Amino acid sequence: MTESPDGSARVPSRDRRRFPGISSRSYEHPADRSALVALRKLSGFDTVFKTLSGLLPERSLRLLFLSDSVRVSDQQFSHLHDMLLDACYILDLEKVPPMYVNQDPQPNAMCIGLDEPIIVVTTGLVELLDEEEMRAVVGHEVGHALSGHAVYRTILLFLTNLAMKVAWIPLGNVAIMAIVTALREWFRKSELSADRAGLLVGQDLQASMRGLMKLAGGNHLHEMNVDAFLKQADEYESGGDLRDSVLKILNLLPRSHPFTTVRAAELKKWAASREYQRIMDGHYPRRDEDKDTSVSDSFRDSAAHYAESVRNSKDPLMGLVRDIAGGAGDLGGKLRDTVFGGGSRGGQGGTNGTDRTNGSEA
């Protein structure tokens, strides 16, 4: 039995496995982990970011939430307070982050802060999810805090706002948006990591699945089905042609989160993995070993993950990448057949050319 700083008991509300000293490396997505290991190894990195705190609106955000939101405690939103203590106890996070409920009908949650993380959930999210679904979300945000994601999320928010303010400066906006795009790609992977942390806290895969479905389709569980929802993810990945592959990339670039069906499929896959089972059996990397982690090993893991993703992907663009990597011949023909569906289309003179110009291929 341990206690929170305010003296409240910190024990799970039901029998859940606890992970003493667990390192965030246990649940981090390989691309997320390699970036974080590299950043943690940089001498003076934390100092640089703390120096930036004078430029970032962190203090303003803290004051804003303190003055215009409801701080979770044993007196306010006590059920969320219990969930927060549970999550910190299970993941062995010694200092419980402050948590606020903000009036906003849009379901959302975030973990931000440079010096110390704070967690914010909206009323839309609180009203949408049941207790076990919400527990997974709270665990998700505590996972962000344990990984140190809050620092980079705050930087991303700042740079996104800055990019809008300097949009009239062509080169300045391009440079900032390049950094923002890279940060978003990392952050999408960090969301997959935090989903895993939420599962470790809630230890209820069906609740995690339900929560993701509700984020996509609202509070209509009687109208939704987990298997059908996961089938959407498979259809999204494998359907269409190269044009659709490009559109998928363009749709994803401005987002900080992966698409909801993709998150559900990724989490279900991880829950069925040996890696997850080993953690549940008590075999996981420890926090006190983080300093000895090899950057090169982390990058190799990340590279191996991306290589495996390309190998196993059903996306047409990834199939083309595999063909090119394998030395496939007639690349032009493959491109034509993949995009336009094959068939005898060319080499027959001006009439066919004119028809193609006026047809759907245009």
Side-chain angles (χ1 to χ4, degrees):
M1 170 88 61
T2 59
E3 292 188 348
S4 68
D6 63 2
S8 304
R10 292 178 59 186
V11 292
S13 58
R14 69 170 171 81
D15 186 22
R16 292 183 176 86
R17 187 174 298 277
R18 185 174 180 246
F19 309 102
I22 190 171
S23 168
S24 59
R25 291 180 291 115
S26 303
Y27 57 80
E28 284 163 354
H29 185 280
D32 174 25
R33 183 167 60 242
S34 62
L36 290 175
V37 168
L39 289 173
R40 289 164 185 157
K41 290 285 184 179
L42 287 178
S43 178
F45 178 79
D46 291 340
T47 304
V48 170
F49 270 100
K50 286 181 180 179
T51 302
L52 282 174
S53 63
L55 303 174
L56 300 177
E58 182 194 10
R59 295 179 70 86
S60 174
L61 285 173
R62 287 179 182 277
L63 290 172
L64 179 63
F65 289 125
L66 185 63
S67 63
D68 205 32
S69 300
V70 176
R71 183 161 57 192
V72 171
S73 67
D74 56 355
Q75 297 174 308
Q76 302 186 114
F77 289 99
S78 59
H79 71 293
L80 294 181
H81 186 243
D82 290 341
M83 291 180 197
L84 179 61
L85 296 182
D86 276 6
C88 292
Y89 178 75
I90 290 170
L91 293 181
D92 199 17
L93 185 63
E94 184 175 348
K95 189 165 186 180
V96 180
M99 183 175 178
Y100 293 90
V101 175
N102 179 245
Q103 169 60 28
D104 185 343
Q106 184 71 26
N108 198 13
M110 61 180 175
C111 180
I112 58 172
L114 286 173
D115 294 323
E116 294 180 1
I118 61 173
I119 295 171
V120 181
V121 297
T122 65
T123 51
L125 189 68
V126 174
E127 292 162 6
L128 177 66
L129 304 183
D130 69 23
E131 181 176 350
E132 292 306 309
E133 296 157 5
M134 192 69 198
R135 188 181 303 280
V137 170
V138 173
H140 174 112
E141 299 306 326
V142 170
H144 276 314
L146 183 58
S147 286
H149 291 155
V151 172
Y152 315 113
R153 176 59 184 262
T154 307
I155 298 290
L156 177 58
L157 287 173
F158 170 71
L159 289 176
T160 303
N161 291 334
L162 182 61
M164 291 190 296
K165 290 178 182 177
V166 300
W168 60 277
I169 308 176
L171 292 180
N173 185 50
V174 168
I176 292 173
M177 285 310 298
I179 299 172
V180 168
T181 300
L183 274 174
R184 280 178 178 155
E185 166 59 17
W186 160 77
F187 198 79
R188 285 190 290 269
K189 297 300 185 291
S190 77
E191 285 299 309
L192 299 179
S193 300
D195 283 344
R196 297 173 178 184
L199 179 59
L200 290 176
V201 166
Q203 299 174 25
D204 184 342
L205 180 60
Q206 290 305 309
S208 294
M209 293 289 108
R210 291 198 310 269
L212 289 169
M213 282 199 305
K214 283 184 176 180
L215 288 177
N219 194 12
H220 304 282
L221 277 179
H222 62 289
E223 299 285 357
M224 294 185 279
N225 177 275
V226 172
D227 292 334
F229 188 66
L230 291 171
K231 188 176 179 181
Q232 287 181 227
D234 185 65
E235 184 179 338
Y236 169 78
E237 183 181 354
S238 59
D241 53 30
L242 280 180
R243 291 168 296 185
D244 295 305
S245 297
V246 173
L247 290 174
K248 291 175 190 176
I249 295 171
L250 294 177
N251 286 340
L252 187 62
L253 282 178
R255 295 174 61 94
S256 62
H257 288 57
F259 294 115
T260 317
T261 57
V262 175
R263 288 174 64 183
E266 286 284 337
L267 185 61
K268 188 172 188 296
K269 187 190 307 180
W270 188 70
S273 70
R274 176 62 180 153
E275 181 183 356
Y276 173 73
Q277 190 56 56
R278 282 183 57 80
I279 295 173
M280 296 304 295
D281 290 341
H283 306 294
Y284 50 80
R286 307 283 166 157
R287 213 169 298 161
D288 55 13
E289 302 166 352
D290 284 349
K291 63 182 182 301
D292 302 320
T293 307
S294 167
V295 176
S296 58
D297 287 347
S298 298
F299 276 113
R300 273 195 294 270
D301 290 344
S302 179
H305 167 79
Y306 278 116
E308 183 182 1
S309 297
V310 171
R311 281 195 304 271
N312 297 330
S313 176
K314 301 174 184 177
D315 184 87
L317 180 59
M318 291 300 101
L320 182 63
V321 169
R322 286 195 299 270
D323 287 346
I324 294 172
D330 189 21
L331 178 58
K334 280 186 173 293
L335 277 169
R336 183 193 65 239
D337 293 346
T338 304
V339 176
F340 300 129
S344 56
R345 296 181 181 269
Q348 298 179 7
T351 302
N352 284 342
T354 303
D355 290 343
R356 282 200 303 274
T357 302
N358 293 330
S360 62
E361 284 87 0

